[in-house]
Amino acid sequence: MSHTEEKALLYGLDERIRPAPAFFAALQHLLASVVGVITPPLIISSVLGLQAYLPYLISMSLLVSGIGTFLQARRVAGIGAGMICLQGTSFAFLGVILSGGMIVKNRGGSPEEIMAMIFGCTLVAALIPLLISRCVSQLRRVLTPVVTGTVITLIGISLIKVSITDWAGGHHAANFGAPGNLALGGLTLLVIITLNRMRNRWARLIAVLAGIVVGCLAAALSGKLVLTPQPETGWLALPGFFRFGFAFDWAIFLPIALVAVIAVIEAAGDLTANCMLSQQPIVGPQFQRRLQGALCADGISCMLAAMFSAFPNTTFAQNNGVIQMTGVASRYVGMVMGVMLALLGLFPAFGALMQQIPPPVLGGATLVMFGSVMAAGIRVLTQTPLGRREMLIVAVSFGLGLGVEAVPEALKQLPPLVSQLFGHAVTTGGVLAILLNVVLPSEQRAVVLPQGETAGGQ
């Protein structure tokens, strides 16, 4: 295979794709992300005592994810990136939502009052990406390749930790790290790698899906996959506007607003990686228009989430890995995926079935995809020469970002809000990269004049 063929996409960004390959490509994106979409509602409901409303919260998360994903891919009136940008419930908001919900709960608030406060504050916070999208040209001066590359790489590294945890059996698994779990994830990964390296277009197209199917079959034969009946939730989940009412509190809103700004940084990094993998420019007016549309769609998606009783949405990074693995960047796949997610939300039985995929299978499938996100970040970092200033930015951002995630106890003496916000590599590393990029003066390179004189920076 030539170098040109190695880099070529099976389906380019605006290339129309037949229904069958579009369905299989979209299904792989969905399998890579559906657990990430429904996990935040599971965690929030468990901590805040909202289990009675959990089926509805999961359904609305999937429905809004589908609407937002379709909008990003379709790009209507400049709203949306016009790319495969799957919208999903952001893990970045978990800490501040849980702390805000506990404040209301400790006041004696009912589950309905807790959700009214959460969705009220997140609705107002949705204005932040909308406002930032209006000043993308100024944003690009801050989000240089060094900053976005650092953020993307940190996102990939953080996601890899999730993959390894799933591979070993999942959080709180009694058999965590058991050889059977590791073998199951290894089999899934082996199938994906083998099919991805074949010359056949269909083999690459269904590599991730085939890996998950083979992994599930192996899990069923070994007794690690036993389908359990789900509680009766009804065949259809119809959305309702502000089902739990609306409330607002500045003390709860401000931390959510700060995370909304950080989510914009992550979204910009994700879109940069998406453009690179889809062979689109990552600088210039075209990229700025895409970024503006993507952030605007993020804000609208977050507003819809609050209205329909779902948690804030942002662009998922893991789907960039699926683009890398399948070679399918067609935005029409994003539209198909949006419809599929919305249908999953309307028919909760499908979402319940997806939840039963064994964690080791998901871990093996997502490891290579999340690794691709990290590799894309490294590629963005190396788009421009890394001088002493850039190396310092990368070193400090990676050092502190990965350091606080590896040793979160280092922040335990600080206020809980600070430790929640900056206990993650993406948050700490991303904010540091931006601050250092603004504060540290740019190096002026010396220029040798024809007469032998030298002109340079001071």
Side-chain angles (χ1 to χ4, degrees):
M1 182 178 291
S2 69
H3 181 65
T4 302
E5 291 172 330
E6 177 76 10
K7 293 182 65 178
L9 291 168
L10 295 179
Y11 294 95
L13 182 66
D14 292 308
E15 189 173 351
R16 290 190 174 274
I17 180 170
R18 295 189 307 277
F23 171 79
F24 283 111
L27 183 59
Q28 292 177 106
H29 280 279
L30 190 147
L31 291 173
S33 57
V34 68
V35 174
V37 174
I38 67 177
T39 297
L42 288 169
I43 296 173
I44 293 170
S45 298
S46 175
V47 174
L48 299 180
L50 311 176
Q51 288 90 342
Y53 298 102
L54 180 58
Y56 181 78
L57 294 176
I58 289 178
S59 291
M60 292 305 101
S61 294
L62 290 167
L63 176 64
V64 174
S65 175
I67 295 172
T69 301
F70 185 91
L71 181 61
Q72 286 280 19
R74 179 66 179 83
R75 186 173 172 86
V76 180
I79 301 172
M83 309 183 79
I84 302 176
C85 293
L86 187 138
Q87 301 287 284
T89 305
S90 174
F91 284 83
F93 287 91
L94 270 182
V96 291
I97 285 177
L98 289 175
S99 62
M102 289 304 297
I103 291 174
V104 180
K105 189 174 184 178
N106 292 335
R107 293 173 183 168
S110 65
E112 294 79 9
E113 290 171 332
I114 291 173
M115 287 186 283
M117 181 65 73
I118 290 173
F119 298 134
C121 291
T122 54
L123 176 66
V124 180
L127 297 174
I128 292 174
L130 288 173
L131 293 173
I132 294 178
S133 70
R134 298 298 95 192
C135 51
V136 163
S137 58
Q138 291 82 1
L139 188 66
R140 287 304 301 167
R141 288 199 290 268
V142 177
L143 299 181
T144 62
V146 171
V147 174
T148 53
T150 299
V151 172
I152 296 167
T153 307
L154 288 172
I155 290 172
I157 294 173
S158 298
L159 289 172
I160 287 174
K161 184 172 69 174
V162 176
S163 290
I164 293 297
T165 302
D166 283 339
W167 192 333
H171 283 290
H172 310 301
N175 62 343
F176 189 86
N181 292 339
L182 301 180
L184 198 57
L187 173 64
T188 304
L189 178 60
L190 180 63
V191 172
I192 293 173
I193 293 174
T194 302
L195 292 178
N196 185 261
R197 299 313 303 157
M198 289 184 176
R199 294 177 180 272
N200 184 277
R201 172 183 290 237
W202 272 95
R204 185 179 174 187
L205 187 66
I206 66 169
V208 178
L209 175 61
I212 292 175
V213 170
V214 171
C216 287
L217 289 175
L221 292 174
S222 62
K224 293 183 178 295
L225 172 58
V226 180
L227 297 179
T228 57
Q230 298 298 305
E232 183 63 37
T233 57
W235 283 100
L236 194 64
L238 295 177
F241 282 101
F242 298 108
R243 176 173 174 176
F244 304 102
F246 179 93
F248 184 82
D249 187 313
W250 280 101
I252 296 174
F253 166 74
L254 290 177
I256 294 175
L258 178 57
V259 176
V261 175
I262 294 170
V264 169
I265 300 172
E266 291 188 28
D270 292 337
L271 184 70
T272 304
N274 196 324
C275 287
M276 177 168 288
L277 295 171
S278 303
Q279 299 180 358
Q280 300 298 310
I282 60 172
V283 293
Q286 181 181 348
F287 176 77
Q288 290 188 15
R289 287 193 296 271
R290 287 198 190 280
L291 181 57
Q292 182 175 14
L295 295 180
C296 187
D298 265 13
I300 292 175
S301 185
C302 286
M303 292 184 73
L304 290 174
M307 293 176 183
F308 287 138
S309 305
F311 301 105
N313 276 7
T314 188
T315 302
F316 269 21
Q318 48 262 54
N319 296 90
N320 291 334
V322 182
I323 296 173
Q324 172 79 20
M325 290 299 299
T326 62
V328 179
S330 172
R331 63 193 183 94
Y332 297 99
V333 170
M335 297 182 206
V336 174
M337 181 170 46
V339 173
M340 292 169 67
L341 281 165
L343 289 176
L344 284 179
L346 292 174
F347 299 98
F350 291 102
L353 183 63
M354 292 287 185
Q355 288 178 249
Q356 302 196 49
I357 298 176
V361 175
L362 284 174
T366 56
L367 180 73
V368 66
M369 294 185 288
F370 294 169
S372 297
V373 174
M374 182 184 68
I378 295 173
R379 287 175 61 187
V380 173
L381 270 174
T382 55
Q383 287 293 302
T384 56
L386 297 179
R388 289 183 303 166
R389 172 182 178 273
E390 289 75 21
M391 289 295 292
L392 183 61
I393 293 173
V394 173
V396 174
S397 302
F398 269 76
L400 281 173
L402 296 175
V404 297
E405 185 155 308
V407 190
E409 295 82 7
L411 304 179
K412 70 178 182 180
Q413 300 294 333
L414 298 176
L417 176 61
V418 176
S419 61
Q420 289 169 3
L421 287 176
F422 296 101
H424 305 284
V426 177
T427 305
T428 301
V431 170
L432 276 173
I434 289 175
L435 291 177
L436 291 174
N437 186 55
V438 171
V439 172
L440 295 181
S442 300
E443 294 177 350
Q444 298 292 328
R445 302 183 185 277
V447 179
V448 179
L449 300 177
Q451 293 83 359
E453 301 176 5
T454 301
Q458 297 178 359

